[in-house]
Amino acid sequence: MTIGTTENPLRVAIIGAGPTGFYTADALLKNKEVVVEVDMFDRLPTPYGLVRDGVAPDHQKIKSVTKAYDRTAKKDEFRFFGYVELGKDVSVADLRNYYHQIIYTYGASSDRKLGIPGEDLIGSRTATEFVAWYNGHPDYRDYEFDLSQESVAVIGVGNVAIDVARILCRTHEALVETDIAEHALEALKNSKVKNVYVIGRRGPAQAAFTNTEVRELGELVATDALVVPEEAELDALSQQLLDEGNDHRTKKKVEIIQSFIPNTRTDKPKALTIRFLVSPVELIGDEKGQIKAMRLVKNELYQTDDGTLRPRATEQFETVSVGLVFRSVGYRGLPVEGVPFNDSWGIISNDEGRVVDYETKAVVTGEYAAGWIKRGPSGIIGTNKPDAVATVKLMLADFAAGQTLTPAHPTAPEAEAFIKQQQPQYFTYEDWLKLDEAELAKGKEQGRPRVKFTNIEDMLTAREAQK
Ligand code: NAP
């Protein structure tokens, strides 16, 4: 039987309905050689992954990328199975019975640790959980963050750290205009946070945040963006590399950071201070085990053999009072039963997108990865498009070479019947679009872009009511 025809399409399961999942679906469905049918799975009833649950609510423009995803989802060859969890409702072994190819695009939902004493104290939290909480991710809606603290530290100087710091510093009036989850809007309204420290272990030229993100900190209406003048100055090595190179973006970044000097306060009620060349070495607790301070060591930079500048601790220490600490030092992917995993990198073991055995590097036929679970948590949303396209190219090449899985039940009705049996409450894309309408309507009533469902029970009830 020839596969890849209208009668017998190439059937692909995409695991994860985030940006990479949609870019993968789009590339597969746009190809001109092979007829493909795509079934996209997500453990949540709602699609869009990090665009819904990661992108900061005050960055609504970025979220408009979902319009392109909806266009992909409209195609006849696309189906969505929301609220179906791989490893719980269906296994990889199950999927191999129904699909010729499986591609994992489920991202990196866990976080990296600092590995310092005090990391488990009360008040030591991860940026990932705070971000998921304020974005209304159902798994995190009941989390609580002690916003009665006046001083908060965010460890790391990537875009996620900047998002967290900015959300802590936004006024209620500004947050009302976003689609931030209602519980977070309420909690942040009563927040006592006055000082936010963002902690970078290297210098301004090595900061991972992008220029647009850091520039925005200088535009906050109720917060002074500050730096410590001597930390914002470049050390000799960074200055030399910047002078020799052609890196305009970094030059601009340093300029923006230095514009946060002088280190003086205006009458704005909050202060956000970006620190450079310091690393937390210990979180210090009180007798109840609650964080009361962090101990920082001053770093200096040295050049490694590959030319990069790395931090090295000096003998200079300081202690800063903080009651809440968010570590924001990068995400990590989680393994799925039956799929080879590279635990040190937190990604699926793969060779440019083809899943491979971790030890032998032998290709696992018919299985692929794209996005953060393929390459690690780097880049912006758009970075995942060429990444997905590259993996799809391999998928189509392998198909042409006859290298696919050999499912016993390779048809859409058989797959649907199986999923219905495993998870009778699964959500279709139509179901999602109705939830979407309801969220937008509630938003309109309140003069907000949308009011999100943050609870799966509520989503199920709303779907019943709409029937
Ligand atoms: P990231 O960009 O990799 O930043 C991680 C930060 O943590 C870096 O500053 C890193 O410093 C620091 N770090 C790592 N280990 C540390 C340690 N032990 N002690 C102190 N600092 C440590 O990661 P992210 O912020 O989680 O963002 C993930 C990706 O999403 C990035 O590509 C980001 O650009 C993207 N994103 C984009 C947007 C947007 O476009 N608006 C918003 C959010 C996220 P070193 O550089 O010294 O390692």
Side-chain angles (χ1 to χ4, degrees):
M1 184 169 61
T2 316
I3 307 165
T5 61
T6 317
E7 297 72 40
N8 294 304
L10 176 72
R11 302 214 6 93
V12 181
I14 299 180
I15 313 302
T20 308
F22 279 97
Y23 295 131
T24 301
D26 183 55
L28 281 166
L29 297 179
K30 269 191 184 149
N31 99 86
K32 298 270 183 277
E33 286 98 60
V34 187
V35 179
V36 181
E37 278 179 356
V38 157
D39 284 352
M40 181 184 279
F41 293 84
D42 202 285
R43 54 189 285 267
L44 291 181
T46 52
Y48 311 146
L50 270 194
V51 175
R52 182 175 167 97
D53 295 318
V55 169
D58 56 344
H59 283 172
Q60 288 295 307
K61 257 198 204 148
I62 300 182
K63 294 186 185 241
S64 60
V65 67
T66 57
K67 291 202 182 92
Y69 306 159
D70 290 344
R71 280 197 295 277
T72 302
K74 272 208 181 96
K75 296 193 175 172
D76 290 341
E77 302 78 16
F78 178 99
R79 290 192 306 189
F80 179 58
F81 291 106
Y83 199 29
V84 179
E85 185 169 343
L86 183 64
K88 186 174 145 226
D89 302 312
V90 295
S91 68
V92 172
D94 292 332
L95 294 180
R96 291 186 186 125
N97 283 327
Y98 293 91
Y99 298 93
H100 298 105
Q101 295 183 327
I102 304 167
I103 173 161
Y104 306 102
T105 60
Y106 61 82
S109 57
S110 188
D111 58 277
R112 294 180 49 217
K113 291 221 161 18
L114 289 167
I116 58 170
E119 209 167 348
D120 296 324
L121 286 169
I122 301 164
S124 167
R125 310 295 293 267
T126 69
T128 36
E129 59 192 21
F130 189 59
V131 168
W133 171 77
Y134 65 58
N135 274 320
H137 188 300
D139 292 354
Y140 297 84
R141 67 186 302 273
D142 296 326
Y143 279 46
E144 284 177 14
F145 298 90
D146 181 8
L147 300 174
S148 70
Q149 299 294 336
E150 287 199 355
S151 296
V152 178
V154 187
I155 313 296
V157 283
N159 280 334
V160 171
I162 299 298
D163 281 347
V164 166
R166 200 181 61 251
I167 293 296
L168 286 169
C169 291
R170 284 271 188 222
T171 60
H172 178 69
E173 292 67 34
L175 290 176
V176 166
E177 290 180 5
T178 76
D179 68 351
I180 192 166
E182 282 177 302
H183 54 252
L185 185 64
E186 192 55 29
L188 285 160
K189 187 178 177 186
N190 300 319
S191 160
K192 299 279 180 293
V193 174
K194 281 207 310 218
N195 293 305
V196 177
Y197 304 100
V198 182
I199 308 292
R201 62 177 168 182
R202 298 190 285 162
Q206 293 83 33
F209 49 62
T210 43
N211 293 359
T212 325
E213 311 297 311
V214 68
R215 191 180 289 115
E216 231 182 323
L217 299 183
E219 295 159 1
L220 293 168
V221 294
T223 304
D224 286 324
L226 308 171
V227 286
V228 177
E230 51 279 17
E231 290 176 357
E233 287 306 312
L234 291 192
D235 61 291
L237 270 172
S238 301
Q239 188 67 57
Q240 186 193 337
L241 288 177
L242 205 59
D243 290 344
E244 286 169 2
N246 209 6
D247 185 352
H248 296 297
R249 213 173 279 171
T250 303
K251 280 186 184 148
K252 191 72 211 168
K253 183 183 295 174
V254 173
E255 253 176 64
I256 299 167
I257 291 166
Q258 292 181 347
S259 75
F260 298 158
I261 300 172
N263 188 358
T264 49
R265 293 296 312 269
T266 66
D267 56 4
K268 291 181 180 178
K270 292 185 183 181
L272 190 167
T273 310
I274 314 182
R275 300 286 313 268
F276 293 103
L277 289 164
V278 281
S279 284
V281 286
E282 185 184 358
L283 303 179
I284 302 162
D286 62 15
E287 61 290 346
K288 290 188 187 132
Q290 156 70 44
I291 289 183
K292 59 175 188 181
M294 63 180 170
R295 192 153 187 255
L296 299 176
V297 67
K298 185 158 185 54
N299 295 328
E300 59 188 13
L301 296 179
Y302 70 98
Q303 195 160 24
T304 59
D305 292 342
D306 68 7
T308 51
L309 300 187
R310 301 301 313 162
R312 180 164 54 202
T314 67
E315 297 288 310
Q316 251 175 285
F317 295 90
E318 69 178 295
T319 301
V320 179
S321 296
V322 282
L324 181 60
V325 173
F326 291 106
R327 64 170 186 272
S328 182
V329 294
Y331 285 69
R332 256 185 79 79
L334 293 172
V336 156
E337 168 99 41
V339 184
F341 196 70
N342 179 336
D343 198 46
S344 45
W345 292 16
I347 58 172
I348 286 177
S349 169
N350 76 95
D351 179 11
E352 302 198 359
R354 283 188 180 104
V355 176
V356 295
D357 182 88
Y358 181 61
E359 300 294 338
T360 65
K361 306 294 173 228
V363 169
V364 177
T365 303
E367 295 187 34
Y368 303 86
W372 279 9
I373 200 62
K374 164 186 170 185
R375 67 173 196 279
S378 67
I380 57 172
I381 289 163
T383 314
N384 296 303
K385 189 167 186 174
D387 184 308
V389 167
T391 302
V392 166
K393 218 171 152 188
L394 298 182
M395 293 168 80
L396 295 175
D398 289 351
F399 165 71
Q403 297 297 315
T404 65
L405 293 162
T406 47
H409 310 288
T411 69
E414 284 171 300
E416 188 177 352
F418 173 70
I419 290 149
K420 209 172 211 162
Q421 171 197 314
Q422 299 299 105
Q423 172 46 298
Q425 291 181 307
Y426 76 86
F427 277 65
T428 64
Y429 215 75
E430 284 301 308
D431 291 336
W432 152 244
L433 290 175
K434 285 191 194 144
L435 289 186
D436 185 38
E437 261 176 43
E439 288 188 345
L440 291 171
K442 195 162 177 201
K444 202 165 176 194
E445 274 169 26
Q446 299 186 15
R448 304 185 53 204
R450 80 166 59 232
V451 174
K452 285 180 176 178
F453 287 101
T454 59
N455 184 322
I456 292 179
E457 282 305 314
D458 292 347
M459 297 185 202
L460 289 164
T461 310
R463 180 172 64 177
E464 276 311 304
Q466 284 160 348
K467 274 186 181 159

